[in-house]
Amino acid sequence: MATKSVQKREADGKCDAPPQKKQFGHWSQGLKSSMDDPELRIDADEKIVIIKDKYPKAKFHFLLLPKISIPNLKSLTKEHVELLQHIEKKGKALAKKSDPNLEFRFGYHAVPSMSLLHMHVISQDFDSPCLKNKKHWNSFTTEYFVDSSDIIKQLQERGRVELDTSRFQEMLKRNLRCHVCKKDLPTIPALKTHIKLHSYSKKS
Ligand code: AMP
Ligand code: ZN
C-alpha cells in the first residue's frame, strides 16, 4: 500500500506523527532515511540532496543536505565555504521555481533537533497546520534561525562557526511576535489569523 502523502498527513492533522515503522534508529537520524524516500526527495546533484520538510512550517519548506556526511554547524571549516555557497544557490533557485513572488529565507537552526547538516528553505507565509507552537514559531522568526549568508561569512572570516548556544533556549520561549510588523500576539491561533493579513509578495 502506498505511504500516506505529506499533504494527506497534514490534512489529518498528523504533523507530529511518531516515526513510521519503516524508519530505523533514533528519530533524530530521520533525515538520513528521508534523503532516499521518493515521497520526500525532490532533487539531487553530485554534491547535495533536496527533500521536502516532512512537517512543513510554511507553504514551501525544503531541506538541502550535503551528500558528504557533516554532522552539524560546529563541524564546518573554511573548506566547506564552496559547498555552503552551492547549497544556498540551489536553495534560491528552488525558491524562485516554487513561487517567484513569495518571500523566502535560507538558513540553519542554531541548535538543530535533527542530525546531519541541513539548510532550510522556507517561505515567509508560515501558512501550515504543522506550525503549532511557540517553539516552532520562534525557531524560524528569531535569531535562532541563522541566515546561510551569516554562516558563510563566519567561515570565511574565522574558519569556523561560533554561536553562543546558551542564548538560544530563551529565544524559543519568547512571546509570540509577528515577523512582519512586530505586533505581539497572545496565542498561536491569534498569530495565524494576524499573519494572514500580510502579503508575503516580494517588495517591488
Ligand atoms: P532542525 O533540526 O531544527 O533544523 O529542523 C529539522 C526539520 O526537519 C524540521 O523542520 C522538521 O519538520 C523536519 N523533519 C523532522 N523529521 C523529518 C524527517 N524524517 N524527514 C524530513 N524532515 C523531517
Ligand atoms: Zn504583523
Side-chain angles (χ1 to χ4, degrees):
M1 201 175 79
T3 321
K4 213 185 264 183
S5 74
V6 172
Q7 283 74 18
K8 179 75 166 64
R9 211 167 20 239
E10 273 185 28
D12 289 350
K14 289 181 182 166
C15 291
D16 298 316
Q20 306 288 299
K21 272 188 194 133
K22 66 178 179 184
Q23 189 178 306
F24 299 102
H26 192 259
W27 60 266
S28 64
Q29 306 295 321
L31 298 185
K32 201 168 163 48
S33 40
S34 294
M35 285 168 86
D36 297 321
D37 181 344
E39 227 189 300
L40 294 174
R41 181 172 168 138
I42 57 165
D43 201 2
D45 65 17
E46 70 285 0
K47 291 181 185 162
I48 66 166
V49 174
I50 304 179
I51 61 172
K52 289 188 212 167
D53 193 292
K54 198 168 180 177
Y55 312 108
K57 308 299 187 294
K59 249 180 215 160
F60 297 100
H61 189 182
F62 308 102
L63 304 175
L64 281 70
L65 299 103
K67 277 187 175 169
I68 55 162
S69 178
I70 302 177
N72 50 45
L73 291 169
K74 282 188 218 139
S75 324
L76 293 170
T77 70
K78 227 174 205 151
E79 281 166 27
H80 295 112
V81 166
E82 228 171 275
L83 175 62
L84 265 58
Q85 285 171 331
H86 177 74
I87 291 174
E88 192 181 303
K89 193 172 144 205
K90 283 285 203 173
K92 287 185 175 171
L94 177 62
K96 203 168 171 188
K97 199 172 125 195
S98 301
D99 188 337
N101 296 314
L102 270 185
E103 202 75 66
F104 279 80
R105 281 185 77 190
F106 311 90
Y108 300 82
H109 276 156
V111 186
S113 53
M114 301 299 281
S115 295
L116 293 183
L117 187 78
H118 52 277
M119 186 189 80
H120 293 261
V121 170
I122 184 161
S123 56
Q124 294 298 292
D125 48 274
F126 295 109
D127 180 6
S128 167
C130 294
L131 197 150
K132 287 183 172 174
N133 57 45
K134 191 182 261 193
K135 191 175 159 193
H136 290 158
W137 179 254
N138 285 334
S139 74
F140 288 101
T141 59
T142 66
E143 309 93 284
Y144 196 92
F145 189 85
V146 189
D147 287 316
S148 164
S149 54
D150 290 344
I151 297 294
I152 292 171
K153 193 160 173 254
Q154 281 207 32
L155 286 176
Q156 285 169 329
E157 289 174 359
R158 303 181 202 164
R160 60 182 184 278
V161 178
E162 281 175 10
L163 298 170
D164 177 4
T165 45
S166 65
R167 296 168 50 235
F168 292 112
Q169 290 318 311
E170 166 273 320
M171 285 174 198
L172 297 181
K173 294 179 192 150
R174 281 186 196 165
N175 292 338
L176 296 169
R177 173 168 282 191
C178 171
H179 61 314
V180 179
C181 71
K182 310 299 172 204
K183 181 181 164 76
D184 288 321
L185 280 310
T187 60
I188 285 283
L191 175 75
K192 288 198 167 196
T193 303
H194 171 83
I195 60 176
K196 282 204 175 85
L197 301 172
H198 292 295
S199 156
Y200 299 99
S201 294
K202 283 181 181 160
K203 293 147 208 104
S204 51

